[in-house]
Structures are given as C-alpha cells and as structure tokens.
Amino acid sequence: AAVGVGGEMKRYPAVFTHRVDGAPLPAVLDADNGCGGDETDHPPPELLDRELATVKAVAHTCLLALRGALSAGLAFDTEGGSAPYPAHVWVAPPLPAGEAGCASEPRVCMTNVDQLREAPAGSAAAAFTAKPLVRSALGDYIRRWWVATAPKLGIENGHGQTDDPKYAAVLSKYGTLNWLLFSWEDNALGGDAILQLLTGGGMVVDRSPEEMDTARRRWDAFCQEALVRLGPRRFDEMKAQVALMNDGEISATDVIGRSRYFMCPDNEDLHSALSRILLG
C-alpha cells in the first residue's frame, strides 16, 4: 500500500481482507441536525441507540487503525482539524447473525489513511493516544452531531441528563464515549486506557478525566504485581488475552474465564482483582 509521508510516497505491507459495503459517515450521521436528521425533533430511542452504536464502532475502529499505524512507525497529526476525516470513514450495517464478523455492531472501514507522518520508535509521536482522533476533523464532526442531538433529548448545551427514562436507558450504555463527545484533556487520552474503556464493560457513565487517570494508575500497579507473581510467561499470556479484548475479538468476561487457567488456584486474589478492574 502506498501512503504519503512528508510529501513523498513510501510503500508499506498491507493485506486486503474484504470489501465493506456501506456509505460514508456523513450519510449515516447528520452533524447539522443530530439524531434522525431534520425529519424529527424526538427520535425514537431505538434510532438513538443505533446512531450511538455507530459512533462507538467508528471510535473503536479508528483507534485500532491509529495503533496499527504506530506499529508501522506512522502516525496521524495531532494539531487538530486534520485526518482522519468523516468522508474517509465508511459504515455498513452489522452482518447477519451467523456470518463472519461481529453481528452486533456496524462495520466500519477507513478508506483513506494517506495523511500520515513518520513516528520514530521512542519519540513522543510514537505514543499510542486517542488525541489524534479526538482533535481530528472526524472527532469534531461527531461532537457536532452530539451538540445537535442533545436538545432533542431535553439536554441543554450538550451536558447534563435527560428526564426521559427511555432516552436515559440508551445513554447509560454509552458513557464510555464521553472522552470523545466531551473532548477530554490530552493527559486523559491514553490509547490503551481508552480502548479498555470502550471494550471492557462495567465502566461508570460520566467518568471524569481524573477518574480515568486513577483507573490507569490502578491498572499499572496491578500489572507490576502480576508480573512479579505470575512470571513472564503467564504475564504475557494475560496481556495477550487483554489485547484480544481491546481488539474486540473477545469480551471482558472471556478474559476473566480464560485467565483462570493460568492464574488459579495459586493466585485467586490476583484473579479477583483482574475481574474487578475489567468488570467493575
């Protein structure tokens, strides 16, 4: 695959998996009129759920793309208003149950990733962070959609809570998107922590950047203890299972179940601590 870096074209290995049919994000989410577009001021809760699920799938896929680019020594700009762009993200409906892929979330494909720059290993640019997504044109577009959607739910200025219990029930499922919808500070946008927030489940709605920092420090302390008690081989196996969860291939419950085989019975308390972190 040829990608542009510093005005020149360089070639990097790439694998084409399958075509994702669908439409560019602006055809799926109306940033000017919010959920349901200009057809309704009171979107059905099911439609709100579907559009928020799209935002979550887009965020998850783009974060994985950012991490993949870094593994090749490349990164998106973090100055704001740059790539990724909404028109370069295509969304298709979930696959029917029983077919390959995830049957519960929309399918997302980034169709253009040519605006990359070199990110040498060990440099600040090589750190995995959600900042390029949050500050990008795509992040701005999603926040415009939320600002236009919030009044339809009875939420003023995009912040606060809705009095409608049906809308509240939907929003309670997507508090893990607050880092994107409310543009958290840079120091709260660690990539691995955000991925865990998106995929780990059991997270608290309206979690503040300070709470995210506490959770990140808690995870780091847990990993230090786990390395000492499990040893390198079993610790690497635990990290491999968490990585599968972050990639959306398995759930947090799967991680807890699988980790029992290499953590127990001699580290039951450590296994319980992992469960509390991932499941809440």
Side-chain angles (χ1 to χ4, degrees), residues 198-220:
L198 276 177
T199 62
M203 298 300 182
V204 179
V205 178
D206 294 331
R207 202 169 195 181
S208 68
E210 291 76 15
E211 290 171 319
M212 272 294 297
D213 183 61
T214 298
R216 185 165 52 250
R217 286 188 278 108
R218 180 187 179 195
W219 174 251
D220 290 343

Side-chain angles (χ1 to χ4, degrees), residues 18-191:
H18 65 280
R19 177 183 175 185
V20 177
D21 296 321
L25 185 64
V28 179
L29 292 181
D30 186 338
D32 294 325
N33 298 291
C35 183
D38 58 3
E39 298 179 1
T40 176
D41 290 332
H42 301 285
E46 297 79 10
L47 179 59
L48 177 64
D49 193 6
R50 187 160 64 247
E51 294 200 6
L52 279 169
T54 297
V55 171
K56 182 177 180 181
V58 167
H60 188 201
T61 297
C62 290
L63 283 174
L64 294 179
L66 294 175
R67 190 174 67 177
L70 286 173
S71 69
L74 302 169
F76 283 105
D77 194 4
T78 59
E79 295 305 315
S82 56
Y85 295 102
H88 295 166
V89 177
W90 279 57
V91 180
L95 289 170
E99 293 190 21
C102 178
S104 60
E105 292 187 352
R107 292 169 290 154
V108 179
C109 179
M110 293 184 67
T111 62
N112 191 333
V113 292
D114 61 350
Q115 300 202 18
L116 297 168
R117 58 189 174 87
E118 297 281 5
S123 67
F128 177 40
T129 169
K131 180 181 175 181
L133 172 56
V134 174
R135 308 287 179 251
S136 70
L138 174 60
D140 291 340
Y141 187 89
I142 290 173
R143 282 187 292 277
R144 281 175 51 208
W145 170 86
W146 170 247
V147 169
T149 295
K152 296 183 176 185
L153 313 180
I155 300 174
E156 297 297 329
N157 301 319
H159 293 76
Q161 298 181 340
T162 176
D163 293 329
D164 188 311
K166 293 182 179 180
Y167 287 149
V170 174
L171 294 176
S172 69
K173 298 165 53 179
Y174 296 99
T176 54
L177 289 173
N178 287 352
W179 57 276
L180 178 57
L181 297 180
F182 302 116
S183 190
W184 283 3
E185 295 295 327
D186 293 351
N187 61 4
L189 294 176

